[in-house]
Amino acid sequence: MSELVTGEAVALELRPAKLPSRAMALLLDLAAAVTAYLIVTIALVAATSSLDDAAQTALSITSFVLVLVGGPIAVETLTHGRSLGKLACGLRVVRDDGGPIRFRHALVRGLIGVIEILLTFGAGACIASLVSARGRRIGDVFAGTLVVRERVPVTPAAYVPPPPPWLAGRFAELDLSAVPDGLWLAVRQYLTRMGQLDGQVRHSMAERLASDVAARTGTPPPYGVPAPAYLSAVLHERQAREARRAFGNGAPAGATAAGAPGPWAAGPSLVTPMTPVTTPPTLLPSTAPVPPSSLTAPASPPTAPAVAPPAPAPASSPAPPPAGGSPGEGQEASSGGGAGTGFAPPA
């Protein structure tokens, strides 16, 4: 992989094409050009059969230059470096700074290609590609171009390595509000690609990023903690805070706002603790089971058997006092007669 730095200080990662893929693309381009040249030659011979030999020779040279030299130049200019063979092999011609080529680049490549490809049957181009560090032939060197690969294998997304276990939660009180997003992005890119860097470059970048983060937070890194481990722990602390802010104080996505366990909870976490009863239970008069109806409606008193009221006694008139009797006797008789009715005459 070749890393190029543009005028805007942007690093471009370009994959130079290898010699086998470039040779295959060149063969496809030559096959297409030779086929087109044969078709044009046959058509010209049929059309100019009545001309003299000098005119036929001039037309043959013109067709050779236009088809085998002008054709590839026109195709690369119009397609911005993607000829038929390069398109089939996933290659493309670009400038040294990674931009698309123009007519002057394609013209220089095409004119020098006549010498190093057509006249030497590709031997000059192969030797120059093997000698060059980026696989460039002589035409690429003079034109300032490079053949790169457009179709690259998809690599898995890089992940941020976790911090050491002994640093977990150590920066929970660190103020990270003053750290800009650009610095966080630089820290993340460094952690995901530090395995691809040279040892000295990796160490210097880690020290510089750690000093920048410490200057923004106002707290120097702990003594004895390596710079990459410090950066990883601080970045994970920021991610943890963002997750708590997004999911509500650290509650998982499946939990409710009241703190109820999510749907994945199982076992004792689903059991709600019972509140102790402070009111003493009501004692029942007996140990017999109480029907449910007795808990909602008061029990009715037992109904006494119906008793017929006593028949009233017939009213009796006071007996006349016997003749010759004394008034006391008559009163006693009257009281005796009223005893049956329960009526007592006035005294």
Side-chain angles (χ1 to χ4, degrees):
M1 182 179 299
S2 176
E3 184 171 343
L4 303 178
V5 180
T6 64
E8 293 80 11
V10 178
L12 299 178
E13 293 182 356
L14 302 177
R15 293 178 178 267
K18 302 299 182 180
L19 181 60
S21 58
R22 293 191 62 178
M24 180 63 66
L26 180 60
L27 290 176
L28 293 177
D29 290 337
L30 286 178
V34 170
T35 302
Y37 175 70
L38 292 178
I39 295 175
V40 171
T41 301
I42 295 173
L44 288 177
V45 169
T48 60
S49 58
S50 59
L51 298 178
D52 56 358
D53 294 340
Q56 292 182 358
T57 303
L59 289 176
S60 300
I61 295 174
T62 303
S63 63
F64 174 84
V65 173
L66 291 178
V67 175
L68 295 182
V69 179
I73 294 175
V75 170
E76 287 190 355
T77 302
L78 296 176
T79 60
H80 299 288
R82 297 186 185 94
S83 61
L84 181 61
K86 292 180 177 61
L87 185 63
C89 297
L91 306 180
R92 182 181 180 181
V93 182
V94 296
R95 300 197 306 260
D96 283 339
D97 58 355
I101 63 173
R102 299 180 179 179
F103 173 73
R104 60 185 180 88
H105 304 94
L107 178 61
V108 174
R109 294 185 79 253
L111 293 179
I112 299 180
V114 175
I115 301 174
E116 65 175 343
I117 295 177
L118 298 180
L119 299 183
T120 62
F121 299 98
C126 292
I127 295 174
S129 299
L130 292 175
V131 172
S132 175
R134 294 190 291 177
R136 302 200 301 176
R137 63 181 179 90
I138 301 176
D140 293 323
V141 175
F142 280 93
T145 57
L146 176 67
V147 181
V148 298
R149 296 173 56 187
E150 281 192 317
R151 293 196 295 264
V152 296
V154 179
T155 58
Y159 69 98
V160 179
W166 50 274
L167 283 179
R170 189 167 180 177
F171 303 100
E173 303 298 331
L174 197 63
D175 184 14
L176 304 177
S177 59
V179 182
D181 293 338
L183 184 55
W184 286 124
L185 180 60
V187 171
R188 179 181 178 84
Q189 290 179 349
Y190 165 76
L191 292 175
T192 55
R193 299 177 55 188
M194 64 179 182
Q196 305 174 2
L197 302 175
D198 183 70
Q200 184 177 0
V201 176
R202 179 171 63 248
H203 178 73
S204 61
M205 289 186 63
E207 293 293 338
R208 180 174 57 83
L209 292 174
S211 63
D212 292 344
V213 173
R216 297 285 184 172
T217 57
T219 304
Y223 178 76
V225 177
Y230 168 74
L231 294 175
S232 179
V234 173
L235 182 61
H236 275 75
E237 176 62 29
R238 178 181 182 269
Q239 292 176 349
R241 294 183 185 181
E242 293 292 337
R244 286 194 297 266
R245 187 181 297 109
F247 297 118
N249 296 328
T256 59
W264 56 83
S269 60
L270 292 179
V271 180
T272 305
M274 298 180 62
T275 305
V277 180
T278 57
T279 305
T282 304
L283 299 178
L284 298 178
S286 63
T287 59
V290 181
S293 60
S294 63
L295 299 178
T296 57
S300 59
T303 304
V307 179
S316 58
S317 60
S326 60
E329 293 176 357
Q331 292 176 359
E332 293 177 358
S334 300
S335 61
T341 62
F343 175 76

